[in-house]
mmCIF file of all heavy atoms in Angstrom:
data_model
loop_
_atom_site.group_PDB
_atom_site.id
_atom_site.type_symbol
_atom_site.label_atom_id
_atom_site.label_comp_id
_atom_site.label_asym_id
_atom_site.label_seq_id
_atom_site.Cartn_x
_atom_site.Cartn_y
_atom_site.Cartn_z
ATOM 1 N N MET B 1224 18.865 13.291 12.459
ATOM 2 C CA MET B 1224 17.600 12.700 12.913
ATOM 3 C C MET B 1224 16.917 12.018 11.733
ATOM 4 O O MET B 1224 17.341 12.268 10.582
ATOM 5 C CB MET B 1224 16.705 13.722 13.601
ATOM 6 C CG MET B 1224 17.230 14.334 14.888
ATOM 7 S SD MET B 1224 16.228 15.649 15.450
ATOM 8 C CE MET B 1224 14.954 14.762 16.284
ATOM 9 N N TRP B 1225 15.837 11.352 11.927
ATOM 10 C CA TRP B 1225 15.205 10.661 10.792
ATOM 11 C C TRP B 1225 14.824 11.601 9.669
ATOM 12 O O TRP B 1225 14.948 11.264 8.530
ATOM 13 C CB TRP B 1225 13.880 9.960 11.304
ATOM 14 C CG TRP B 1225 14.176 8.556 11.605
ATOM 15 C CD1 TRP B 1225 13.894 7.952 12.855
ATOM 16 C CD2 TRP B 1225 14.770 7.514 10.840
ATOM 17 N NE1 TRP B 1225 14.287 6.676 12.813
ATOM 18 C CE2 TRP B 1225 14.769 6.345 11.605
ATOM 19 C CE3 TRP B 1225 15.218 7.501 9.554
ATOM 20 C CZ2 TRP B 1225 15.298 5.186 11.114
ATOM 21 C CZ3 TRP B 1225 15.761 6.356 8.971
ATOM 22 C CH2 TRP B 1225 15.738 5.173 9.777
ATOM 23 N N ASN B 1226 14.220 12.703 9.968
ATOM 24 C CA ASN B 1226 13.687 13.533 8.900
ATOM 25 C C ASN B 1226 14.295 14.899 8.847
ATOM 26 O O ASN B 1226 13.733 15.811 8.312
ATOM 27 C CB ASN B 1226 12.161 13.616 9.004
ATOM 28 C CG ASN B 1226 11.758 14.005 10.390
ATOM 29 O OD1 ASN B 1226 12.525 14.503 11.189
ATOM 30 N ND2 ASN B 1226 10.511 13.806 10.668
ATOM 31 N N THR B 1227 15.512 15.027 9.378
ATOM 32 C CA THR B 1227 16.358 16.237 9.059
ATOM 33 C C THR B 1227 17.030 15.771 7.739
ATOM 34 O O THR B 1227 16.873 14.652 7.256
ATOM 35 C CB THR B 1227 17.304 16.491 10.117
ATOM 36 O OG1 THR B 1227 18.064 15.321 10.458
ATOM 37 C CG2 THR B 1227 16.640 16.959 11.431
ATOM 38 N N GLU B 1228 17.740 16.701 7.247
ATOM 39 C CA GLU B 1228 18.390 16.480 5.954
ATOM 40 C C GLU B 1228 19.171 15.191 5.960
ATOM 41 O O GLU B 1228 20.097 15.000 6.759
ATOM 42 C CB GLU B 1228 19.299 17.647 5.595
ATOM 43 C CG GLU B 1228 20.030 17.482 4.288
ATOM 44 C CD GLU B 1228 20.886 18.674 3.975
ATOM 45 O OE1 GLU B 1228 20.910 19.636 4.790
ATOM 46 O OE2 GLU B 1228 21.635 18.644 2.986
ATOM 47 N N ALA B 1229 18.798 14.251 5.084
ATOM 48 C CA ALA B 1229 19.528 13.010 4.987
ATOM 49 C C ALA B 1229 20.494 13.126 3.825
ATOM 50 O O ALA B 1229 20.268 13.684 2.810
ATOM 51 C CB ALA B 1229 18.610 11.869 4.713
ATOM 52 N N PHE B 1230 21.752 12.637 4.070
ATOM 53 C CA PHE B 1230 22.780 12.655 2.995
ATOM 54 C C PHE B 1230 22.878 11.171 2.402
ATOM 55 O O PHE B 1230 22.987 10.253 3.163
ATOM 56 C CB PHE B 1230 24.130 12.988 3.647
ATOM 57 C CG PHE B 1230 24.084 14.434 4.138
ATOM 58 C CD1 PHE B 1230 23.624 14.781 5.395
ATOM 59 C CD2 PHE B 1230 24.663 15.509 3.328
ATOM 60 C CE1 PHE B 1230 23.644 16.092 5.836
ATOM 61 C CE2 PHE B 1230 24.660 16.776 3.821
ATOM 62 C CZ PHE B 1230 24.146 17.124 5.069
ATOM 63 N N PHE B 1231 22.803 11.207 1.115
ATOM 64 C CA PHE B 1231 22.825 9.878 0.456
ATOM 65 C C PHE B 1231 24.163 9.656 -0.207
ATOM 66 O O PHE B 1231 24.833 10.577 -0.675
ATOM 67 C CB PHE B 1231 21.721 9.834 -0.640
ATOM 68 C CG PHE B 1231 20.373 9.627 -0.087
ATOM 69 C CD1 PHE B 1231 19.648 10.675 0.420
ATOM 70 C CD2 PHE B 1231 19.746 8.368 -0.191
ATOM 71 C CE1 PHE B 1231 18.327 10.434 0.901
ATOM 72 C CE2 PHE B 1231 18.486 8.176 0.301
ATOM 73 C CZ PHE B 1231 17.796 9.210 0.807
ATOM 74 N N GLY B 1232 24.572 8.398 -0.296
ATOM 75 C CA GLY B 1232 25.694 8.020 -1.122
ATOM 76 C C GLY B 1232 25.293 8.015 -2.607
ATOM 77 O O GLY B 1232 24.172 8.318 -2.940
ATOM 78 N N GLN B 1233 26.269 7.728 -3.444
ATOM 79 C CA GLN B 1233 26.080 7.816 -4.917
ATOM 80 C C GLN B 1233 25.330 6.622 -5.433
ATOM 81 O O GLN B 1233 24.887 6.621 -6.581
ATOM 82 C CB GLN B 1233 27.409 7.989 -5.605
ATOM 83 C CG GLN B 1233 27.991 9.393 -5.422
ATOM 84 C CD GLN B 1233 29.078 9.678 -6.446
ATOM 85 O OE1 GLN B 1233 29.928 8.797 -6.733
ATOM 86 N NE2 GLN B 1233 28.999 10.805 -7.141
ATOM 87 N N GLY B 1234 25.183 5.598 -4.614
ATOM 88 C CA GLY B 1234 24.441 4.468 -5.044
ATOM 89 C C GLY B 1234 25.326 3.268 -5.553
ATOM 90 O O GLY B 1234 26.480 3.524 -6.034
ATOM 91 N N THR B 1235 24.801 2.102 -5.444
ATOM 92 C CA THR B 1235 25.367 0.900 -6.046
ATOM 93 C C THR B 1235 24.390 0.287 -6.941
ATOM 94 O O THR B 1235 23.304 -0.119 -6.506
ATOM 95 C CB THR B 1235 25.818 -0.110 -4.949
ATOM 96 O OG1 THR B 1235 26.770 0.437 -4.103
ATOM 97 C CG2 THR B 1235 26.360 -1.398 -5.583
ATOM 98 N N ARG B 1236 24.780 0.128 -8.245
ATOM 99 C CA ARG B 1236 23.897 -0.569 -9.161
ATOM 100 C C ARG B 1236 24.249 -2.011 -9.186
ATOM 101 O O ARG B 1236 25.331 -2.416 -9.627
ATOM 102 C CB ARG B 1236 24.016 0.061 -10.600
ATOM 103 C CG ARG B 1236 23.099 -0.528 -11.573
ATOM 104 C CD ARG B 1236 23.159 0.160 -12.918
ATOM 105 N NE ARG B 1236 22.651 1.530 -12.816
ATOM 106 C CZ ARG B 1236 21.399 1.874 -12.893
ATOM 107 N NH1 ARG B 1236 20.455 0.967 -13.089
ATOM 108 N NH2 ARG B 1236 21.002 3.157 -12.778
ATOM 109 N N LEU B 1237 23.364 -2.872 -8.716
ATOM 110 C CA LEU B 1237 23.551 -4.282 -8.567
ATOM 111 C C LEU B 1237 22.679 -5.057 -9.590
ATOM 112 O O LEU B 1237 21.494 -4.818 -9.668
ATOM 113 C CB LEU B 1237 23.224 -4.706 -7.152
ATOM 114 C CG LEU B 1237 23.333 -6.232 -6.935
ATOM 115 C CD1 LEU B 1237 24.763 -6.667 -6.988
ATOM 116 C CD2 LEU B 1237 22.725 -6.663 -5.652
ATOM 117 N N THR B 1238 23.315 -5.928 -10.269
ATOM 118 C CA THR B 1238 22.620 -6.816 -11.292
ATOM 119 C C THR B 1238 22.855 -8.261 -10.845
ATOM 120 O O THR B 1238 24.059 -8.648 -10.704
ATOM 121 C CB THR B 1238 23.132 -6.619 -12.675
ATOM 122 O OG1 THR B 1238 22.916 -5.226 -13.059
ATOM 123 C CG2 THR B 1238 22.357 -7.477 -13.701
#
Side-chain angles (χ1 to χ4, degrees):
Chain B
M1224 296 174 78
W1225 266 123
N1226 50 15
T1227 54
E1228 180 180 356
F1230 294 83
F1231 284 80
Q1233 287 197 312
T1235 297
R1236 183 174 292 275
L1237 176 69
T1238 303

